[in-house]
Amino acid sequence: MPDVVSRLDRKDVPTIAITNTGAMRFDIFKGAFTRDTTFIISPFVSKFLYIKDVPITAAEQVLPLLNSGGNIFSSSNLDINNLAPPEHLSYKTDILAPSIPISDLLPPSNAQSPLFSSSSNHKPDLIPGYTTKDDNGSDGDDTIHSPITFYRLPNCIESRINIPSTSSNSETVDLVFIDFIKPWVLVALRFSGADYTDEDVNSYRNETLTELMAGWIKENWGQDC
């Protein structure tokens, strides 16, 4: 995020940049990264906003509150669960995918089966993907994948940019955040003793997060995808 969340006229200003993890809707896998991949991962038009000259003592409290301060947001009719990816509503713990032997995934002998080598020692490398496991068993997928491990994420993440290692309580920062989380950020700031309103919020970048991400990937991963 430090490479993406930057603006030439404020590039030297100490900055805390925050986005919600729900802004990224899928994992990035090794291989071709296409326009389709871009919108699978981030199908939104959200842009970055900012409040300048926020006391660092207040700005540093925003992320912990966004990740754990549910009650202060519910009193403002804001659901903190909306900040994380939607699957977090269903899964309350990490899910570590087991290593499933190929033999356990093969269908019965009288059914269609994947084309494997005739060598009994050959075990193809499976790529992670969708796997079915329900009351009818785990052999119903036309294409066999290895399961994907699921890890719960915090509601939001941040990058600290140009923050001095010996910052004092009198210092201020640019507080940059994705526009979707603005209501939560303003509540968190008020709870931290910094009373900001919509009038204090300004545009930080004209590009969407999706466009900034695609540009960074093209510049840094172009030779690999």
Side-chain angles (χ1 to χ4, degrees):
M1 196 155 55
D3 292 339
V4 172
V5 183
S6 61
R7 212 173 80 174
L8 288 178
D9 62 326
R10 302 190 71 80
K11 64 182 180 66
D12 296 323
V13 178
T15 301
I16 294 178
I18 301 175
T19 185
N20 63 307
T21 54
M24 306 290 285
R25 287 304 174 93
F26 206 67
D27 298 323
I28 299 177
F29 295 103
K30 181 179 180 180
F33 194 98
T34 65
R35 180 180 294 272
D36 187 46
T37 309
T38 304
F39 289 100
I40 288 174
I41 293 172
S42 182
F44 305 111
V45 293
S46 299
K47 298 181 179 181
F48 282 102
L49 307 174
Y50 84 116
I51 302 174
K52 65 179 181 179
D53 300 331
V54 176
I56 193 170
T57 52
E60 288 182 328
Q61 295 184 55
V62 172
L63 183 69
L65 288 171
L66 293 176
N67 285 330
S68 61
N71 290 337
I72 70 169
F73 299 107
S74 58
S75 62
S76 299
N77 295 320
L78 295 172
D79 188 349
I80 203 168
N81 291 318
N82 290 337
L83 300 177
E87 57 267 25
H88 282 232
L89 294 174
S90 301
Y91 299 104
K92 302 302 181 183
T93 61
D94 295 344
I95 299 176
L96 303 182
S99 177
I100 301 178
I102 292 296
S103 58
D104 292 348
L105 296 171
L106 295 180
S109 58
N110 61 345
Q112 290 182 329
S113 61
L115 182 61
F116 290 151
S117 167
S118 58
S119 171
S120 59
N121 295 325
H122 178 72
K123 294 184 178 180
D125 293 329
L126 299 180
I127 62 172
Y130 185 83
T131 57
T132 300
K133 185 176 182 180
D134 53 28
D135 292 342
N136 290 322
S138 58
D139 59 354
D141 294 324
D142 293 329
T143 302
I144 299 176
H145 297 98
S146 63
I148 298 176
T149 294
F150 173 82
Y151 295 103
R152 284 188 57 81
L153 302 172
N155 295 326
C156 295
I157 56 175
E158 75 173 16
S159 287
R160 299 167 65 87
I161 306 166
N162 297 326
I163 304 292
S165 57
T166 57
S167 58
S168 67
N169 292 344
S170 61
E171 290 180 334
T172 60
V173 298
D174 280 354
L175 182 61
V176 179
F177 48 91
I178 206 72
D179 56 14
F180 175 77
I181 68 173
K182 181 179 72 171
W184 288 269
V185 169
L186 291 176
V187 170
L189 285 171
R190 286 197 293 271
F191 187 81
S192 304
D195 193 12
Y196 291 98
T197 67
D198 285 340
E199 295 181 357
D200 300 302
V201 180
N202 294 287
S203 172
Y204 192 74
R205 294 291 300 250
N206 292 325
E207 306 92 333
T208 66
L209 172 61
T210 304
E211 292 168 342
L212 291 170
M213 178 185 67
W216 188 93
I217 289 173
K218 181 178 180 180
E219 181 177 343
N220 292 273
W221 294 352
Q223 71 279 10
D224 297 320
C225 61

